[in-house]
Amino acid sequence: MDSVGNKHPQNHIQRVIGLIGLLLVLGSGTNTSPTGAASTGSIGVVPAFPDPAIQLSKSWFLYEVDPGATIEDTARITNRGESEMRINLEALDAFMTPDGSFALAGATNENQDIGTWVELETGEVTVPAGQAKLVKFKITVPQDAEVGDHIGGLAVQKMTDEPDITLKSGGTQLGIVTRAGARIYLTVKGDIQRSLRLTGRSLVSRNDKMVLRLRWDNRGNVRATPELVEGRIWGIFGLYDRVENTDLGEIFPHKSTIKETVWPGKNRPLFGPFLARLTIQDTCVGLNPASPLPATQPMTVWLFVFFVPYLQLLVILAVLFLLWCAWQFRRWQYLIQLAGCPVVAYRVKRSDHLVGVAERYGLNWKLLARLNNLKPPYSLHNVANLYLPDARGRRRPAEVPNFFRYLIGPRTNFINRGKSHYTIVIERGDTAKTVTKFTHMPWAEILAYNHLKISARPKVGMELKVPRRQRKRFR
């Protein structure tokens, strides 16, 4: 990172950032096509004398040598600008970014591999407008170099204090200087090993697309270029989509990474379960067509995914919630009307239950309980009178909670309840049969749950615990 002079010391800070991943045949980092990738803006670098028999040599430096070998080659540096330009040239190691893209080291002092083997004729060259200059370089491969691929690149950058792009944000001014480059692939001959493993896989949705997310572990000593030979996706109605020959990127030797590839076929289905079968093969054939790498066997993997339209589902849930609130609001209004209507007093008899009284007069038992301020378990024990709506009666003030309390009160009690049981109170006229019918739990089990003798009988005022798994059903 090189700093640029501060034109406004109090308000602006200029920084120049070398973006190495731009157009270094790096493209997106997953595409192995070299077309137009060795230049950016007005400068570029390519091999000066490509091999006509090897298409990739037009943009990349490709070598296959023995340990201890020395290679001499030439790079062509171009200036397509309208003025003379001083250009800096560096040899750098390559590495994989966390998302699996190809990138070069930030500076020569970060080199640990092939970048240290390259000796440039010069690291600085002046190129007239619209012309090119040739720069020779030499690669000396150590005698003890590891067998397999060694990956790097030649990077060029304008030697100027003026950034290519200037961005402003608040009081900060950011200058961006871009680099161009050409990849170097050097394979040291010997015991070549290929061992690409797929350690994780998933098919996820992103906006309206499907994204194939694969975790790779390349334990071999040469790079791998997996390709989706064939991919099929089935839904409940049969074959949904089929694709072929899709590039899945590049994995450096002895590296692990996660590669994401947008499914090139149909868009993501809206909803439902889907099953995918993927046939993948490492298609890297090596640098020398005359001596290709040993062939690999394709691998077949299966994926199951259930697509859910979360945004649409959220909208549906929101609509249902609003409808539920509207329904509850109407019930609350009815409760207010009920609370303000004339009532008559009903004298409670020994055999009466709240639910039975409500059914007898065609009322909702919950509304009747609210009208009479009855609390769970809604026992009529010690209750002398119930007030029932009746046009012949008189108005009786009844407390009605506001709508918010009415809406969340029962839900809050349900969420915050800490007991695993509820309590019922035996009233006059209750028998083992009526208690069983009320609780939907056999009388013997109720006695066992309350640690009572099997011979016990219901007595007025007796309090019994009933497990909440036995839901009360009021009819």
Side-chain angles (χ1 to χ4, degrees), residues 250-432:
E250 178 183 54
I251 299 94
F252 285 12
H254 308 300
K255 298 296 182 182
S256 298
T257 188
I258 296 175
K259 293 281 189 178
E260 291 189 348
T261 304
V262 177
W263 186 264
K266 294 182 179 180
N267 287 346
R268 190 206 78 174
L270 183 62
F271 180 79
F274 288 83
L275 183 67
R277 186 187 69 186
L278 311 177
T279 302
I280 303 173
Q281 186 172 15
D282 182 2
T283 58
C284 183
V285 295
L287 305 177
N288 188 356
S291 58
L293 295 174
T296 60
Q297 295 298 319
M299 64 181 78
T300 301
V301 296
W302 293 84
L303 288 171
F304 175 79
V305 59
F306 197 104
F307 290 105
V308 178
Y310 291 103
L311 180 59
Q312 294 88 334
L313 184 61
L314 184 62
V315 172
I316 293 174
L317 292 177
V319 171
L320 292 177
F321 176 74
L322 292 176
L323 292 175
W324 177 79
C325 287
W327 176 60
Q328 292 291 338
F329 183 74
R330 293 193 62 181
R331 292 189 62 188
W332 178 69
Q333 285 185 319
Y334 175 67
L335 180 62
I336 292 178
Q337 294 175 0
L338 185 65
C341 72
V343 296
V344 295
Y346 169 82
R347 184 173 294 278
V348 177
K349 301 179 179 62
R350 294 182 179 181
S351 59
D352 282 339
H353 289 283
L354 179 65
V355 177
V357 174
E359 289 181 347
R360 192 182 314 158
Y361 288 89
L363 301 172
N364 182 286
W365 70 269
K366 291 184 178 180
L367 294 177
L368 187 59
R370 285 183 179 274
L371 184 62
N372 289 272
N373 294 324
L374 297 179
K375 307 298 181 182
Y378 306 110
S379 171
L380 298 183
H381 184 63
N382 294 331
V383 176
N385 296 305
L386 283 177
Y387 292 96
L388 309 178
D390 194 312
R392 297 170 298 176
R394 294 182 302 174
R395 295 183 180 276
R396 176 179 177 272
E399 181 183 357
V400 179
N402 61 48
F403 179 66
F404 182 74
R405 287 179 56 195
Y406 171 80
L407 194 65
I408 71 170
R411 266 59 62 180
T412 304
N413 294 337
F414 176 79
I415 294 173
N416 294 333
R417 68 182 184 183
K419 297 181 179 180
S420 60
H421 62 270
Y422 62 92
T423 302
I424 62 173
V425 180
I426 303 299
E427 301 174 351
R428 288 186 177 90
D430 285 341
T431 64

Side-chain angles (χ1 to χ4, degrees), residues 15 99 234 283:
R15 296 177 181 174
D99 66 352
W234 290 273
T283 58

Side-chain angles (χ1 to χ4, degrees), residues 443-465:
W443 176 250
E445 291 187 17
I446 295 177
L447 293 177
Y449 189 81
N450 288 270
H451 307 288
L452 298 175
K453 294 181 180 180
I454 193 65
S455 59
R457 290 291 179 262
K459 295 181 180 180
V460 176
M462 178 187 290
E463 294 186 0
L464 297 174
K465 298 176 182 178

